[in-house]
PDB file of all heavy atoms in Angstrom:
ATOM      1  N   SER A   1    -147.237 133.153-195.401  1.00 81.00           N
ATOM      2  CA  SER A   1    -147.983 132.197-194.587  1.00 81.00           C
ATOM      3  C   SER A   1    -147.103 131.112-193.989  1.00 81.00           C
ATOM      4  O   SER A   1    -147.572 130.281-193.238  1.00 81.00           O
ATOM      5  CB  SER A   1    -149.095 131.546-195.426  1.00 81.00           C
ATOM      6  OG  SER A   1    -148.547 130.748-196.457  1.00 81.00           O
ATOM      7  N   ASN A   2    -145.805 131.106-194.331  1.00 78.00           N
ATOM      8  CA  ASN A   2    -144.893 130.085-193.819  1.00 78.00           C
ATOM      9  C   ASN A   2    -144.019 130.685-192.717  1.00 78.00           C
ATOM     10  O   ASN A   2    -143.085 131.423-193.000  1.00 78.00           O
ATOM     11  CB  ASN A   2    -144.017 129.547-194.954  1.00 78.00           C
ATOM     12  CG  ASN A   2    -143.146 128.389-194.513  1.00 78.00           C
ATOM     13  OD1 ASN A   2    -142.882 128.192-193.329  1.00 78.00           O
ATOM     14  ND2 ASN A   2    -142.668 127.611-195.465  1.00 78.00           N
ATOM     15  N   PRO A   3    -144.308 130.376-191.430  1.00 79.00           N
ATOM     16  CA  PRO A   3    -143.545 130.996-190.330  1.00 79.00           C
ATOM     17  C   PRO A   3    -142.311 130.221-189.927  1.00 79.00           C
ATOM     18  O   PRO A   3    -141.592 130.651-189.019  1.00 79.00           O
ATOM     19  CB  PRO A   3    -144.572 130.983-189.190  1.00 79.00           C
ATOM     20  CG  PRO A   3    -145.331 129.708-189.407  1.00 79.00           C
ATOM     21  CD  PRO A   3    -145.421 129.533-190.920  1.00 79.00           C
ATOM     22  N   PHE A   4    -142.043 129.076-190.565  1.00 77.00           N
ATOM     23  CA  PHE A   4    -140.999 128.195-190.071  1.00 77.00           C
ATOM     24  C   PHE A   4    -139.715 128.235-190.875  1.00 77.00           C
ATOM     25  O   PHE A   4    -138.632 128.312-190.313  1.00 77.00           O
ATOM     26  CB  PHE A   4    -141.501 126.738-190.044  1.00 77.00           C
ATOM     27  CG  PHE A   4    -142.623 126.517-189.068  1.00 77.00           C
ATOM     28  CD1 PHE A   4    -143.890 126.188-189.520  1.00 77.00           C
ATOM     29  CD2 PHE A   4    -142.416 126.631-187.707  1.00 77.00           C
ATOM     30  CE1 PHE A   4    -144.923 125.980-188.629  1.00 77.00           C
ATOM     31  CE2 PHE A   4    -143.447 126.430-186.803  1.00 77.00           C
ATOM     32  CZ  PHE A   4    -144.703 126.106-187.268  1.00 77.00           C
ATOM     33  N   ASP A   5    -139.810 128.140-192.189  1.00 64.00           N
ATOM     34  CA  ASP A   5    -138.618 127.939-193.003  1.00 64.00           C
ATOM     35  C   ASP A   5    -137.640 129.090-192.849  1.00 64.00           C
ATOM     36  O   ASP A   5    -137.986 130.250-192.995  1.00 64.00           O
ATOM     37  CB  ASP A   5    -138.989 127.811-194.487  1.00 64.00           C
ATOM     38  CG  ASP A   5    -139.589 126.459-194.792  1.00 64.00           C
ATOM     39  OD1 ASP A   5    -139.719 125.632-193.868  1.00 64.00           O
ATOM     40  OD2 ASP A   5    -139.921 126.229-195.953  1.00 64.00           O
ATOM     41  N   ALA A   6    -136.400 128.749-192.554  1.00 55.00           N
ATOM     42  CA  ALA A   6    -135.307 129.727-192.511  1.00 55.00           C
ATOM     43  C   ALA A   6    -134.055 129.038-193.003  1.00 55.00           C
ATOM     44  O   ALA A   6    -133.741 127.928-192.578  1.00 55.00           O
ATOM     45  CB  ALA A   6    -135.108 130.251-191.095  1.00 55.00           C
ATOM     46  N   ILE A   7    -133.366 129.670-193.937  1.00 45.00           N
ATOM     47  CA  ILE A   7    -132.140 129.080-194.455  1.00 45.00           C
ATOM     48  C   ILE A   7    -131.003 129.450-193.518  1.00 45.00           C
ATOM     49  O   ILE A   7    -130.637 130.611-193.382  1.00 45.00           O
ATOM     50  CB  ILE A   7    -131.843 129.589-195.877  1.00 45.00           C
ATOM     51  CG1 ILE A   7    -132.976 129.191-196.820  1.00 45.00           C
ATOM     52  CG2 ILE A   7    -130.519 129.044-196.389  1.00 45.00           C
ATOM     53  CD1 ILE A   7    -132.852 129.771-198.202  1.00 45.00           C
ATOM     54  N   SER A   8    -130.461 128.458-192.831  1.00 41.00           N
ATOM     55  CA  SER A   8    -129.378 128.732-191.898  1.00 41.00           C
ATOM     56  C   SER A   8    -128.050 128.301-192.487  1.00 41.00           C
ATOM     57  O   SER A   8    -127.118 129.075-192.603  1.00 41.00           O
ATOM     58  CB  SER A   8    -129.618 128.011-190.565  1.00 41.00           C
ATOM     59  OG  SER A   8    -129.799 126.622-190.778  1.00 41.00           O
ATOM     60  N   ARG A   9    -127.960 127.055-192.888  1.00 45.00           N
ATOM     61  CA  ARG A   9    -126.738 126.537-193.500  1.00 45.00           C
ATOM     62  C   ARG A   9    -127.106 125.206-194.157  1.00 45.00           C
ATOM     63  O   ARG A   9    -128.131 124.623-193.828  1.00 45.00           O
ATOM     64  CB  ARG A   9    -125.655 126.336-192.450  1.00 45.00           C
ATOM     65  CG  ARG A   9    -125.947 125.244-191.444  1.00 45.00           C
ATOM     66  CD  ARG A   9    -124.889 125.180-190.360  1.00 45.00           C
ATOM     67  NE  ARG A   9    -125.045 126.241-189.396  1.00 45.00           N
ATOM     68  CZ  ARG A   9    -124.242 126.403-188.340  1.00 45.00           C
ATOM     69  NH1 ARG A   9    -123.233 125.588-188.168  1.00 45.00           N
ATOM     70  NH2 ARG A   9    -124.446 127.370-187.487  1.00 45.00           N
ATOM     71  N   PRO A  10    -126.293 124.720-195.083  1.00 49.00           N
ATOM     72  CA  PRO A  10    -126.590 123.422-195.693  1.00 49.00           C
ATOM     73  C   PRO A  10    -126.546 122.308-194.657  1.00 49.00           C
ATOM     74  O   PRO A  10    -125.933 122.442-193.594  1.00 49.00           O
ATOM     75  CB  PRO A  10    -125.475 123.252-196.726  1.00 49.00           C
ATOM     76  CG  PRO A  10    -124.961 124.623-196.973  1.00 49.00           C
ATOM     77  CD  PRO A  10    -125.114 125.359-195.684  1.00 49.00           C
ATOM     78  N   THR A  11    -127.207 121.196-194.967  1.00 60.00           N
ATOM     79  CA  THR A  11    -127.131 120.028-194.098  1.00 60.00           C
ATOM     80  C   THR A  11    -125.671 119.630-193.913  1.00 60.00           C
ATOM     81  O   THR A  11    -124.938 119.527-194.885  1.00 60.00           O
ATOM     82  CB  THR A  11    -127.913 118.851-194.708  1.00 60.00           C
ATOM     83  OG1 THR A  11    -129.274 119.254-194.891  1.00 60.00           O
ATOM     84  CG2 THR A  11    -127.853 117.637-193.807  1.00 60.00           C
ATOM     85  N   PRO A  12    -125.226 119.446-192.677  1.00 60.00           N
ATOM     86  CA  PRO A  12    -123.806 119.134-192.457  1.00 60.00           C
ATOM     87  C   PRO A  12    -123.395 117.846-193.152  1.00 60.00           C
ATOM     88  O   PRO A  12    -124.182 116.919-193.318  1.00 60.00           O
ATOM     89  CB  PRO A  12    -123.715 118.976-190.931  1.00 60.00           C
ATOM     90  CG  PRO A  12    -124.899 119.688-190.394  1.00 60.00           C
ATOM     91  CD  PRO A  12    -125.975 119.533-191.415  1.00 60.00           C
ATOM     92  N   ILE A  13    -122.156 117.790-193.563  1.00 61.00           N
ATOM     93  CA  ILE A  13    -121.599 116.572-194.130  1.00 61.00           C
ATOM     94  C   ILE A  13    -121.575 115.506-193.049  1.00 61.00           C
ATOM     95  O   ILE A  13    -121.345 115.791-191.876  1.00 61.00           O
ATOM     96  CB  ILE A  13    -120.170 116.838-194.664  1.00 61.00           C
ATOM     97  CG1 ILE A  13    -120.230 117.867-195.791  1.00 61.00           C
ATOM     98  CG2 ILE A  13    -119.503 115.560-195.141  1.00 61.00           C
ATOM     99  CD1 ILE A  13    -118.863 118.323-196.262  1.00 61.00           C
ATOM    100  N   GLY A  14    -121.816 114.265-193.436  1.00 66.00           N
ATOM    101  CA  GLY A  14    -121.813 113.170-192.477  1.00 66.00           C
ATOM    102  C   GLY A  14    -120.562 113.165-191.623  1.00 66.00           C
ATOM    103  O   GLY A  14    -119.450 113.274-192.127  1.00 66.00           O
ATOM    104  N   GLY A  15    -120.743 113.049-190.310  1.00 66.00           N
ATOM    105  CA  GLY A  15    -119.618 113.049-189.401  1.00 66.00           C
ATOM    106  C   GLY A  15    -119.345 114.408-188.795  1.00 66.00           C
ATOM    107  O   GLY A  15    -118.657 114.514-187.773  1.00 66.00           O
ATOM    108  N   ALA A  16    -119.875 115.474-189.411  1.00 66.00           N
ATOM    109  CA  ALA A  16    -119.670 116.819-188.879  1.00 66.00           C
ATOM    110  C   ALA A  16    -120.756 117.144-187.861  1.00 66.00           C
ATOM    111  O   ALA A  16    -121.875 116.664-187.945  1.00 66.00           O
ATOM    112  CB  ALA A  16    -119.683 117.842-190.006  1.00 66.00           C
ATOM    113  N   GLY A  17    -120.413 117.966-186.891  1.00 73.00           N
ATOM    114  CA  GLY A  17    -121.395 118.368-185.899  1.00 73.00           C
ATOM    115  C   GLY A  17    -122.220 119.543-186.388  1.00 73.00           C
ATOM    116  O   GLY A  17    -121.814 120.289-187.271  1.00 73.00           O
ATOM    117  N   TYR A  18    -123.391 119.699-185.817  1.00 75.00           N
ATOM    118  CA  TYR A  18    -124.264 120.831-186.136  1.00 75.00           C
ATOM    119  C   TYR A  18    -124.597 121.536-184.839  1.00 75.00           C
ATOM    120  O   TYR A  18    -125.039 120.913-183.873  1.00 75.00           O
ATOM    121  CB  TYR A  18    -125.541 120.362-186.829  1.00 75.00           C
ATOM    122  CG  TYR A  18    -126.469 121.497-187.202  1.00 75.00           C
ATOM    123  CD1 TYR A  18    -126.336 122.162-188.419  1.00 75.00           C
ATOM    124  CD2 TYR A  18    -127.467 121.913-186.338  1.00 75.00           C
ATOM    125  CE1 TYR A  18    -127.184 123.207-188.762  1.00 75.00           C
ATOM    126  CE2 TYR A  18    -128.318 122.956-186.669  1.00 75.00           C
ATOM    127  CZ  TYR A  18    -128.167 123.604-187.885  1.00 75.00           C
ATOM    128  OH  TYR A  18    -128.994 124.639-188.216  1.00 75.00           O
ATOM    129  N   LYS A  19    -124.390 122.851-184.805  1.00 73.00           N
ATOM    130  CA  LYS A  19    -124.636 123.638-183.604  1.00 73.00           C
ATOM    131  C   LYS A  19    -125.570 124.783-183.935  1.00 73.00           C
ATOM    132  O   LYS A  19    -125.372 125.501-184.912  1.00 73.00           O
ATOM    133  CB  LYS A  19    -123.321 124.179-183.044  1.00 73.00           C
ATOM    134  CG  LYS A  19    -123.470 124.996-181.770  1.00 73.00           C
ATOM    135  CD  LYS A  19    -122.105 125.471-181.285  1.00 73.00           C
ATOM    136  CE  LYS A  19    -122.219 126.283-180.002  1.00 73.00           C
ATOM    137  NZ  LYS A  19    -120.891 126.768-179.537  1.00 73.00           N
ATOM    138  N   SER A  20    -126.593 124.953-183.123  1.00 74.00           N
ATOM    139  CA  SER A  20    -127.537 126.042-183.318  1.00 74.00           C
ATOM    140  C   SER A  20    -127.703 126.787-182.001  1.00 74.00           C
ATOM    141  O   SER A  20    -127.740 126.173-180.936  1.00 74.00           O
ATOM    142  CB  SER A  20    -128.896 125.495-183.782  1.00 74.00           C
ATOM    143  OG  SER A  20    -129.819 126.549-183.958  1.00 74.00           O
ATOM    144  N   VAL A  21    -127.784 128.104-182.079  1.00 74.00           N
ATOM    145  CA  VAL A  21    -127.930 128.940-180.890  1.00 74.00           C
ATOM    146  C   VAL A  21    -129.285 129.619-180.938  1.00 74.00           C
ATOM    147  O   VAL A  21    -129.681 130.182-181.962  1.00 74.00           O
ATOM    148  CB  VAL A  21    -126.814 129.999-180.813  1.00 74.00           C
ATOM    149  CG1 VAL A  21    -126.997 130.879-179.587  1.00 74.00           C
ATOM    150  CG2 VAL A  21    -125.450 129.340-180.785  1.00 74.00           C
ATOM    151  N   TRP A  22    -130.003 129.558-179.826  1.00 77.00           N
ATOM    152  CA  TRP A  22    -131.316 130.187-179.709  1.00 77.00           C
ATOM    153  C   TRP A  22    -131.342 131.064-178.473  1.00 77.00           C
ATOM    154  O   TRP A  22    -130.989 130.603-177.379  1.00 77.00           O
ATOM    155  CB  TRP A  22    -132.408 129.111-179.625  1.00 77.00           C
ATOM    156  CG  TRP A  22    -133.803 129.654-179.473  1.00 77.00           C
ATOM    157  CD1 TRP A  22    -134.472 130.452-180.347  1.00 77.00           C
ATOM    158  CD2 TRP A  22    -134.697 129.433-178.378  1.00 77.00           C
ATOM    159  NE1 TRP A  22    -135.727 130.729-179.871  1.00 77.00           N
ATOM    160  CE2 TRP A  22    -135.894 130.119-178.665  1.00 77.00           C
ATOM    161  CE3 TRP A  22    -134.601 128.712-177.188  1.00 77.00           C
ATOM    162  CZ2 TRP A  22    -136.987 130.113-177.797  1.00 77.00           C
ATOM    163  CZ3 TRP A  22    -135.685 128.698-176.326  1.00 77.00           C
ATOM    164  CH2 TRP A  22    -136.872 129.393-176.630  1.00 77.00           C
ATOM    165  N   SER A  23    -131.728 132.308-178.641  1.00 77.00           N
ATOM    166  CA  SER A  23    -131.819 133.225-177.506  1.00 77.00           C
ATOM    167  C   SER A  23    -133.128 132.990-176.761  1.00 77.00           C
ATOM    168  O   SER A  23    -134.213 133.113-177.340  1.00 77.00           O
ATOM    169  CB  SER A  23    -131.752 134.680-177.983  1.00 77.00           C
ATOM    170  OG  SER A  23    -130.502 134.967-178.558  1.00 77.00           O
ATOM    171  N   ILE A  24    -133.033 132.649-175.481  1.00 81.00           N
ATOM    172  CA  ILE A  24    -134.218 132.365-174.676  1.00 81.00           C
ATOM    173  C   ILE A  24    -134.988 133.662-174.435  1.00 81.00           C
ATOM    174  O   ILE A  24    -134.424 134.639-173.926  1.00 81.00           O
ATOM    175  CB  ILE A  24    -133.821 131.741-173.326  1.00 81.00           C
ATOM    176  CG1 ILE A  24    -133.038 130.441-173.559  1.00 81.00           C
ATOM    177  CG2 ILE A  24    -135.050 131.488-172.463  1.00 81.00           C
ATOM    178  CD1 ILE A  24    -132.455 129.846-172.293  1.00 81.00           C
ATOM    179  N   PRO A  25    -136.264 133.717-174.795  1.00 79.00           N
ATOM    180  CA  PRO A  25    -137.034 134.950-174.561  1.00 79.00           C
ATOM    181  C   PRO A  25    -137.141 135.249-173.069  1.00 79.00           C
ATOM    182  O   PRO A  25    -137.232 134.349-172.232  1.00 79.00           O
ATOM    183  CB  PRO A  25    -138.412 134.618-175.150  1.00 79.00           C
ATOM    184  CG  PRO A  25    -138.189 133.465-176.066  1.00 79.00           C
ATOM    185  CD  PRO A  25    -137.058 132.692-175.470  1.00 79.00           C
ATOM    186  N   TYR A  26    -137.136 136.543-172.725  1.00 79.00           N
ATOM    187  CA  TYR A  26    -137.282 136.924-171.325  1.00 79.00           C
ATOM    188  C   TYR A  26    -138.630 136.499-170.764  1.00 79.00           C
ATOM    189  O   TYR A  26    -138.795 136.334-169.556  1.00 79.00           O
ATOM    190  CB  TYR A  26    -137.110 138.438-171.179  1.00 79.00           C
ATOM    191  CG  TYR A  26    -135.696 138.908-171.405  1.00 79.00           C
ATOM    192  CD1 TYR A  26    -135.367 139.622-172.550  1.00 79.00           C
ATOM    193  CD2 TYR A  26    -134.695 138.640-170.474  1.00 79.00           C
ATOM    194  CE1 TYR A  26    -134.061 140.055-172.768  1.00 79.00           C
ATOM    195  CE2 TYR A  26    -133.399 139.068-170.682  1.00 79.00           C
ATOM    196  CZ  TYR A  26    -133.089 139.778-171.828  1.00 79.00           C
ATOM    197  OH  TYR A  26    -131.802 140.196-172.034  1.00 79.00           O
ATOM    198  N   THR A  27    -139.627 136.320-171.636  1.00 87.00           N
ATOM    199  CA  THR A  27    -140.973 135.938-171.186  1.00 87.00           C
ATOM    200  C   THR A  27    -141.080 134.453-170.858  1.00 87.00           C
ATOM    201  O   THR A  27    -142.105 134.021-170.333  1.00 87.00           O
ATOM    202  CB  THR A  27    -142.002 136.293-172.270  1.00 87.00           C
ATOM    203  OG1 THR A  27    -141.615 135.675-173.508  1.00 87.00           O
ATOM    204  CG2 THR A  27    -142.063 137.797-172.477  1.00 87.00           C
ATOM    205  N   LEU A  28    -140.057 133.681-171.190  1.00 88.00           N
ATOM    206  CA  LEU A  28    -140.101 132.244-170.913  1.00 88.00           C
ATOM    207  C   LEU A  28    -139.671 132.006-169.471  1.00 88.00           C
ATOM    208  O   LEU A  28    -138.547 132.333-169.078  1.00 88.00           O
ATOM    209  CB  LEU A  28    -139.180 131.489-171.873  1.00 88.00           C
ATOM    210  CG  LEU A  28    -139.336 129.966-171.918  1.00 88.00           C
ATOM    211  CD1 LEU A  28    -140.721 129.586-172.423  1.00 88.00           C
ATOM    212  CD2 LEU A  28    -138.274 129.351-172.808  1.00 88.00           C
ATOM    213  N   ALA A  29    -140.564 131.438-168.671  1.00 91.00           N
ATOM    214  CA  ALA A  29    -140.315 131.279-167.237  1.00 91.00           C
ATOM    215  C   ALA A  29    -139.222 130.256-166.971  1.00 91.00           C
ATOM    216  O   ALA A  29    -139.025 129.317-167.751  1.00 91.00           O
ATOM    217  CB  ALA A  29    -141.598 130.854-166.533  1.00 91.00           C
ATOM    218  N   ASP A  30    -138.506 130.429-165.877  1.00 90.00           N
ATOM    219  CA  ASP A  30    -137.548 129.417-165.453  1.00 90.00           C
ATOM    220  C   ASP A  30    -138.275 128.117-165.146  1.00 90.00           C
ATOM    221  O   ASP A  30    -139.443 128.115-164.750  1.00 90.00           O
ATOM    222  CB  ASP A  30    -136.795 129.879-164.198  1.00 90.00           C
ATOM    223  CG  ASP A  30    -135.847 131.034-164.480  1.00 90.00           C
ATOM    224  OD1 ASP A  30    -135.641 131.333-165.663  1.00 90.00           O
ATOM    225  OD2 ASP A  30    -135.333 131.631-163.517  1.00 90.00           O
ATOM    226  N   GLY A  31    -137.591 126.998-165.336  1.00 92.00           N
ATOM    227  CA  GLY A  31    -138.214 125.715-165.027  1.00 92.00           C
ATOM    228  C   GLY A  31    -137.647 124.594-165.880  1.00 92.00           C
ATOM    229  O   GLY A  31    -136.625 124.740-166.545  1.00 92.00           O
ATOM    230  N   GLN A  32    -138.358 123.465-165.853  1.00 93.00           N
ATOM    231  CA  GLN A  32    -137.938 122.270-166.573  1.00 93.00           C
ATOM    232  C   GLN A  32    -138.575 122.240-167.966  1.00 93.00           C
ATOM    233  O   GLN A  32    -139.779 122.467-168.108  1.00 93.00           O
ATOM    234  CB  GLN A  32    -138.350 121.014-165.793  1.00 93.00           C
ATOM    235  CG  GLN A  32    -137.766 120.930-164.392  1.00 93.00           C
ATOM    236  CD  GLN A  32    -136.261 120.782-164.412  1.00 93.00           C
ATOM    237  OE1 GLN A  32    -135.697 120.090-165.263  1.00 93.00           O
ATOM    238  NE2 GLN A  32    -135.576 121.422-163.457  1.00 93.00           N
ATOM    239  N   TYR A  33    -137.770 121.957-168.968  1.00 94.00           N
ATOM    240  CA  TYR A  33    -138.243 121.893-170.343  1.00 94.00           C
ATOM    241  C   TYR A  33    -137.674 120.644-171.028  1.00 94.00           C
ATOM    242  O   TYR A  33    -136.788 119.975-170.488  1.00 94.00           O
ATOM    243  CB  TYR A  33    -137.836 123.145-171.121  1.00 94.00           C
ATOM    244  CG  TYR A  33    -138.536 124.396-170.657  1.00 94.00           C
ATOM    245  CD1 TYR A  33    -138.007 125.159-169.608  1.00 94.00           C
ATOM    246  CD2 TYR A  33    -139.723 124.810-171.240  1.00 94.00           C
ATOM    247  CE1 TYR A  33    -138.647 126.306-169.161  1.00 94.00           C
ATOM    248  CE2 TYR A  33    -140.375 125.953-170.809  1.00 94.00           C
ATOM    249  CZ  TYR A  33    -139.834 126.701-169.765  1.00 94.00           C
ATOM    250  OH  TYR A  33    -140.481 127.827-169.330  1.00 94.00           O
TER     251      TYR A  33
END
């Protein structure tokens, strides 16, 4: 019943950057978001 939780990586150490990549679905129309 939980569609959200996903373990990706631990919370970054302070000062470190965090980068996440998401593949845009083909069904998502071009435009402003």
Side-chain angles (χ1 to χ4, degrees):
S1 66
N2 186 339
F4 295 114
D5 285 0
I7 299 174
S8 55
R9 67 185 76 180
T11 301
I13 297 173
Y18 181 88
K19 181 179 181 181
S20 179
V21 179
W22 179 62
S23 295
I24 301 173
Y26 290 109
T27 55
L28 193 64
D30 291 350
Q32 301 294 322
Y33 292 87

